[in-house]
């Protein structure tokens, strides 16, 4: 799809996933390596111990399909080669930072003057500017700054990151969609490139599931607790939590663990009822327990109508029941009994899963299995990627090439767009989180998005916290406001023939239809891809669900907690001496939307060039495997599943989250070099330890952790963070909603947006997670109230007259 584009990949180990994904979409990706090679080549562990140079797991994971050019940018001749490449490139990706590159004459301003069509992508910890732009960082530090860590782990221990570092993967995938949005504007409007500024902090904030909005909207805060999360009203001034209760997501069973969605509200209550029916059948609860009001149960807990001790008793009934069943027995019930249960799989079980094998997920190179395509593209399938390149393998050939021009589209009257996607129209038939998060990005950058739901079967996101002022009203879910900002909202009864006819009229209007219902639902409504292209032959349709549209697990319906458990993310998160805690919430719901944005933008580019629409089948579980690749390779290397290890790093120490003065106050510290260690010893007043080498520090990590704790316990988290950063040591307080809302870096990036709302007047949503320099996002309004734009869509977009609209209202079609 993108074989006409050339991408220069100047990233180090932190950013190479971005170029890898662009290569998987067909782009020519040239990895520009410094003299001696990329740091990823040198980073262990190694697939082949006696050949470390080309077998590093991180190197192999994200550099297949690229060409390698070795350049010493300190040499004038090599620098001229890079400038010649940049003059003809379409995209450049870097992780060194603008200040560093400016000293070499390679910053965005320098290269834009040379090639005005260049889309220049920067991936950095906190963004290219702002008070934290030059802070000392690591994966652990970014995780601490981004909200999710505060919600992950056990409440009697430190907050947790995932054992396989994730912080850099989020902005890498974000960067792919962002670059394609910028290219869309270039190809369809202005002919000009621009700077794409991706912040790892703001990208990873998506993994907090809108909980960081609790502070601005006056909602109950959440905190971590073993295998789930704890929710309660906002802490009282003395720091006490008033009536918190524990939502458990991970449960032990006979042969391991399962993820169980035991939640409440209109969208989920039937699944919970089905589960309780089964528990009662097997004698683990009485009928009174079975028949509780699961729709309003959360409200009963919050108001105190249902005592928390009773909630704990109900959970004990479930725990006793699950311990009599295997993972396979419980998972089988997801299909037969319509309950929301999925196995917590090990990485070896992920590799062995028949679903992935049948759908052709794996690409095999030299006997090693890698996650392949991000989605199944009906009209433009991606070819498998080749092996990783040898250092400088393509240097001579690329040096000898004639100068290339960027792949600019011919434009009759080039004119910069106010927003890059203002020419794109999207029909949004999405549900809850994973789908709406993707269309939210497209709406922020100008796409006109019409969002369809029903007031009789409302979007489950309306039933999920946080709520504005703890209202529990379906029009006041901050999560729904956040995921659906900038969209037009319409209610339709899709089971009604007239409702289906309205959808087909919207299909005629749209460029893209996006849906995230369970496999087969659209076909039942007469809205399959064949039905849609019968009325709009050039339509692009994207379907995203947990496991995809084919294979034995395709009927599985549920939430991202289940896909995250099946994909292996739950089992690698937690303490080695305890059961897995899993990452906070529905983790694949935060990963997969970025892949969907990239897939849709690539399909739009394919249609621009060929006039051809297509069908996209995206499995949220499959796409998310790209953020697990190193763990899957490690499993194949050692022959056993990847192990969770708390906050320990495989190389560095001290590396952890340490308690500070105050209630639930923590700071993350990551020593990643001898220089940082010496500076830290000076800060601690322990110069006697400064000579410890990396391996010895790792071996003595428990002893050193106690020394660090003694230091952090004598100061607040803010003071500890400030002292660490003044000494250029990677450190950051662990931020929950209050700290995130007060974060000066997020305010500098205008991340928190107060916007219009149909019934509240104004409310708060999160801003864009990446910035475009010339055509920025415009976030004007929160997600719509139920049916807020029915009249506008029918009259202004579809051209229905007043009498026809009145008839539809009278017939109950708009519901």
């Amino acid at each position: 799809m993108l074989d006409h584009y050339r991408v220069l990949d100047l990233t180090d180990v932190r950013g190479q996933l971005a170029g890898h994904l662009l290569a998987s979409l067909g782009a020519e990706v040239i990895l520009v390596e410094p003299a001696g090679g990329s740091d990823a080549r040198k980073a262990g562990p190694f697939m082949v111990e006696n050949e470390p140079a080309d077998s590093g797991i991180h190197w192999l994971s994200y550099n297949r399909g690229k060409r390698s050019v070795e350049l010493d940018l300190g040499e004038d001749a090599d620098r001229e080669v890079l400038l010649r490449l940049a003059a003809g490139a379409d995209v450049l990706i870097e992780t060194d930072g603008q200040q560093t590159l400016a000293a070499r004459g390679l910053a965005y301003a320098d290269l834009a003057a040379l090639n005005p069509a260049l889309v220049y992508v920067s991936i950095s910890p906190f963004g290219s500017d702002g008070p934290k732009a030059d802070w000392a960082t690591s994966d652990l530090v970014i995780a601490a700054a981004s909200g999710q860590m505060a919600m992950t782990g056990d409440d009697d221990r430190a907050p947790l990151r995932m054992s396989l570092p994730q912080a850099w993967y989020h902005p890498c995938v974000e960067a792919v969609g962002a670059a394609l949005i910028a290219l869309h504007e270039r190809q369809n409007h202005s002919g000009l490139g621009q700077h794409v500024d991706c912040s790892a902090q703001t990208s990873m904030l998506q993994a907090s599931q809108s909980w960081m909005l609790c502070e601005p909207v006056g909602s109950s805060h959440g905190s971590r607790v073993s295998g789930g999360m704890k929710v309660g009203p906002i802490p009282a001034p003395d720091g006490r939590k008033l009536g918190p209760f524990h939502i458990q997501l991970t449960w032990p069973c006979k042969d391991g663990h399962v993820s169980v969605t035991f939640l409440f509200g209109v969208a989920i209550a039937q699944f919970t009822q089905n589960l309780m029916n089964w528990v009662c059948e097997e004698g683990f609860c009485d009928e009174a327990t079975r028949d509780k009001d699961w729709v309003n149960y959360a409200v009963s807990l919050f108001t105190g109508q249902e005592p928390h001790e009773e909630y704990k008793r109900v959970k004990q009934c479930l725990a006793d029941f699950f311990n009599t069943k295997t993972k396979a027995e419980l998972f089988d019930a997801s299909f037969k009994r319509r309950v929301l249960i999925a196995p917590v799989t090990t990485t070896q079980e992920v590799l062995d899963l028949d679903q992935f094998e049948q759908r052709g997920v794996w690409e095999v190179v030299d006997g090693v299995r890698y996650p392949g395509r991000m989605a199944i593209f009906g009209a433009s399938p991606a070819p498998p990627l080749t092996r990783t390149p040898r250092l400088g393998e393509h240097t001579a050939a690329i040096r000898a090439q004639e100068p290339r021009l960027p792949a600019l589209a011919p434009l009759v009257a080039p004119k910069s767009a106010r927003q890059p996607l203002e020419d794109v129209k999207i029909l949004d038939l999405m549900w809850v989180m994973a789908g709406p998060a993707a269309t939210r990005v497209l709406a922020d950058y100008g796409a006109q998005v019409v969002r369809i739901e029903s007031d009789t079967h409302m979007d489950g996101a309306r039933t999920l916290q946080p709520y504005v002022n703890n209202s529990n009203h379906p029009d006041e879910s901050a999560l729904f406001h956040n995921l659906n900002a900038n969209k037009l909202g319409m209610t339709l009864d899709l089971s009604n023939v007239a409702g289906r006819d309205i959808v087909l009229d919207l299909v005629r209007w749209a460029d893209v239809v996006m849906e995230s219902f369970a496999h087969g639902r659209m076909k039942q409504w007469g809205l399959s891809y064949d039905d849609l292209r019968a009325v709009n032959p050039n339509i692009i349709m994207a379907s995203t669900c947990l496991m995809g549209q084919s294979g034995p697990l395709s009927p599985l319906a549920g939430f991202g907690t289940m896909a995250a458990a099946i994909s292996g993310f739950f089992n690698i998160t937690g303490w080695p001496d305890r059961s897995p805690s899993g990452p906070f919430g529905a983790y694949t719901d935060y990963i997969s939307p970025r892949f969907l944005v990239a897939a849709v933008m690539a399909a739009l580019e394919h249609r621009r060039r060929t006039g051809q629409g297509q069908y996209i089948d995206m499995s949220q579980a499959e796409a998310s495997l790209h953020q697990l690749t190193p763990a899957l390779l490690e499993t194949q290397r050692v022959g056993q599943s990847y192990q969770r290890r708390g906050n320990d790093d495989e190389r560095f120490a001290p590396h952890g989250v340490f308690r500070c003065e105050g209630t639930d106050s923590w700071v993350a510290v990551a020593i990643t070099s001898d220089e940082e260690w010496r500076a830290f010893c000076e800060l601690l007043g322990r110069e006697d330890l400064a000579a410890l080498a990396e391996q010895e520090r790792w071996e003595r990590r428990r002893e050193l952790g106690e020394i660090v704790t003694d230091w952090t316990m004598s100061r607040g988290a803010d003071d500890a963070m400030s002292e660490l950063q003044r000494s250029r040591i990677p450190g950051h307080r662990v931020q929950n909603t209050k700290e995130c809302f007060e974060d000066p870096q997020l305010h500098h990036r205008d991340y928190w947006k107060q916007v219009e709302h149909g019934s509240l007047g104004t409310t708060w949503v999160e801003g864009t997670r990446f910035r475009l320099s010339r055509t920025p996002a415009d976030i004007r309004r929160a997600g719509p109230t139920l049916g807020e734009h029915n009249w506008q869509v029918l009259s202004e977009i579809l051209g229905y007259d007043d009498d026809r609209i009145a008839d539809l209202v009278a017939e109950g079609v708009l519901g």
Side-chain angles (χ1 to χ4, degrees), residues 4 14 77 84 136 149 201 204 264 280 305 323 329 471 490 554 572 576 583 637 675 729 761 782 808:
H4 54 304
R14 298 170 295 177
R84 179 167 63 84
M149 178 183 278
Q201 180 192 27
M204 199 169 183
F264 323 110
C280 185
Q305 181 180 344
N323 274 316
E329 288 171 332
S471 70
M490 185 177 186
S554 61
I572 66 168
R637 180 182 79 90
E675 181 182 7
I729 299 165
L808 292 170

Side-chain angles (χ1 to χ4, degrees), residues 607-640:
R607 193 180 72 172
R608 180 191 68 80
R609 295 175 67 209
T610 67
Q612 185 181 35
Q614 63 182 303
Y615 181 68
I616 303 169
D617 169 9
M618 175 170 283
S619 157
Q620 294 158 22
E622 291 171 8
S624 300
L625 288 176
H626 287 279
Q627 294 193 197
L628 202 65
T629 305
L632 297 171
L633 266 61
E634 173 73 359
T635 298
Q636 295 173 79
R637 180 182 79 90
V638 301
Q640 65 181 34

Side-chain angles (χ1 to χ4, degrees), residues 14-26:
R14 298 170 295 177
Q16 288 168 349
L17 172 57
H20 171 76
L21 294 174
L22 286 166
S24 78
L25 291 169

